Amino acid sequence: MIALAYENERDMRQIDFRLNRQLWMFLAVAEEGHFGRAAERLGMTQPPLSEHIKTLETALGVGLFDRSRRGTRLTAAGAALLPAVRRFADQAMDLELTVREVAAGQSGILNVGAITSAMTDMIPQWMERLREQLPQLTVSIHEIDSVEAAPGLRSGALDLAFYRLDGSPGDGLESFPVTYDTLCVAVPIDHRAAHLGQMPLADVANSPLIMSARAVSPVYFDSIVSACRRHGVSLRILHEVRSISSQLAYVSCGQGIAIVPGTMERLAPENVRIVPLVEEISIVTTAVAWSTETHAPLKDQALDVLKGLIPKGNVEP
């Protein structure tokens, strides 16, 4: 890391700009091993190049080159600096290419937040289809809790968010449901319901329950509690955990039973059974949302690809 002292913010901006140019010059001289050839490569004459290198050496407080009639060689300090400058040059070139492609509408980077269950459900298929139809799009996936989705979208940190949502996502945001599911009960393999094929909500109410925490996903938590109350059932919650995967892990350890979406059967440990409820309760398990106030290249096209994967009836035309 190169650290320099600046008297004020204006000086810092000016010196930073000069430093960037001087690092490019240092790289040219290091690679050419000759000031004259480096100057020709940079499209300048040798005297100002030599002056810039001297300024850089003074700012760093070290000599970077040993100069002789035979040519120019790196000092130990110069050799130590060279790998970092090469990385800087590579990153600068990548950044320039990305900016040009984005400006031309040829590529884009999409920052996507997703709850864990979405990352094992619809997103892999969506990603595969995106690679086929939008190969110029780079998608970066970030694991989030549902409560982090709306703030991330509003701040611009996320372009799309897959999370548990039922209804409006709030001002400045739009959404549509991606997956619906039917609630089931995860029970240990030796639980009597594991062999009955169904379990009534009344039995769930009388059992120690492991729930995905309301603080993590308030909409999902409230939709389950409300659905149970509509059937005259109040739940006895023993543990609140951070994810459905954690619910299944707790059940596997014999800590209680859990209400989970039926599709989670694919993630259940061998000693856990997913049993349908007698009462059929359908909920939105994942929705995708985005901000109407921010723009991301190719976002609309990525959403169109997603809509093509969703069963008809889940998405409004």
Side-chain angles (χ1 to χ4, degrees):
M1 179 65 68
I2 300 171
L4 302 175
Y6 309 110
E7 293 183 1
N8 55 55
E9 187 176 349
R10 171 178 288 182
D11 288 343
M12 181 177 70
R13 289 196 299 267
Q14 292 174 343
I15 293 176
D16 274 349
F17 176 73
R18 290 199 301 270
L19 177 61
N20 289 341
R21 291 186 59 212
Q22 288 162 358
L23 290 176
W24 281 102
M25 295 175 186
F26 162 79
L27 182 61
V29 176
E31 291 180 345
E32 296 293 339
H34 191 279
F35 272 80
R37 289 194 298 270
E40 184 177 352
R41 168 175 157 181
L42 293 167
M44 61 191 302
T45 59
Q46 183 173 335
L49 173 60
S50 298
E51 195 62 36
H52 277 293
I53 294 298
K54 288 179 182 178
T55 301
L56 179 61
E57 290 175 321
T58 300
L60 297 177
V62 294
L64 299 175
F65 296 102
D66 287 326
R67 302 160 177 84
S68 69
R69 292 182 178 179
R70 294 181 179 179
T72 302
R73 294 188 303 172
L74 287 166
T75 63
L81 181 63
L82 182 59
V85 175
R86 279 188 170 138
R87 288 195 297 271
F88 158 77
D90 289 342
Q91 291 167 355
M93 291 175 67
D94 289 344
L95 176 60
E96 181 180 0
L97 178 61
T98 299
V99 169
R100 287 180 177 178
E101 289 179 342
V102 170
Q106 296 175 349
S107 72
I109 299 174
L110 207 61
N111 288 302
V112 177
I115 57 176
T116 307
S117 59
M119 294 167 68
T120 62
D121 189 9
M122 179 67 75
I123 288 182
Q125 186 182 5
W126 177 58
M127 291 285 290
E128 182 177 353
R129 197 66 62 86
L130 286 177
R131 284 190 288 269
E132 295 172 356
Q133 299 185 24
L134 298 172
Q136 70 274 45
L137 176 63
T138 299
V139 179
S140 179
I141 303 290
H142 312 271
E143 185 179 16
I144 61 169
D145 292 330
S146 288
V147 292
E148 299 173 300
L153 292 169
R154 290 193 173 99
S155 69
L158 299 176
D159 300 311
L160 296 175
F162 291 79
Y163 64 113
R164 305 192 192 286
L165 173 70
D166 193 359
S168 172
D171 294 340
L173 303 179
E174 291 187 8
S175 69
F176 59 78
V178 176
T179 58
Y180 289 90
D181 208 343
T182 301
L183 292 180
C184 294
V185 186
V187 300
I189 195 170
D190 57 356
H191 193 283
R192 63 184 182 85
H195 308 286
L196 296 178
Q198 284 186 316
M199 186 173 183
L201 267 175
D203 288 355
V204 175
N206 295 324
S207 304
L209 192 64
I210 302 152
M211 283 281 285
S212 182
R214 189 181 190 282
V216 172
S217 184
V219 171
Y220 179 67
F221 182 97
D222 290 347
S223 64
I224 292 177
V225 171
S226 297
C228 291
R229 285 177 178 169
R230 287 196 298 270
H231 287 84
V233 172
S234 294
L235 302 176
R236 183 162 66 92
I237 300 173
L238 180 64
H239 296 291
E240 289 192 20
V241 297
R242 295 195 61 82
S243 67
I244 294 175
S245 297
S246 297
Q247 286 181 280
L248 296 174
Y250 270 70
V251 174
S252 179
C253 293
Q255 298 300 294
I257 66 174
I259 297 177
V260 299
T263 53
M264 289 300 102
E265 185 172 10
R266 68 185 186 279
L267 300 180
E270 292 184 359
N271 64 339
V272 174
R273 293 291 179 268
I274 306 299
V275 180
L277 284 165
V278 172
E279 299 84 353
E280 187 170 334
I281 302 175
S282 179
I283 61 168
V284 176
T285 50
T286 308
V288 62
W290 62 95
S291 172
T292 58
E293 299 175 359
T294 61
H295 172 73
L298 306 181
K299 178 177 69 177
D300 292 341
Q301 294 177 56
L303 285 170
D304 288 340
V305 172
L306 178 64
K307 290 178 181 179
L309 297 173
I310 300 173
K312 292 181 180 180
N314 282 25
V315 182
E316 296 180 2

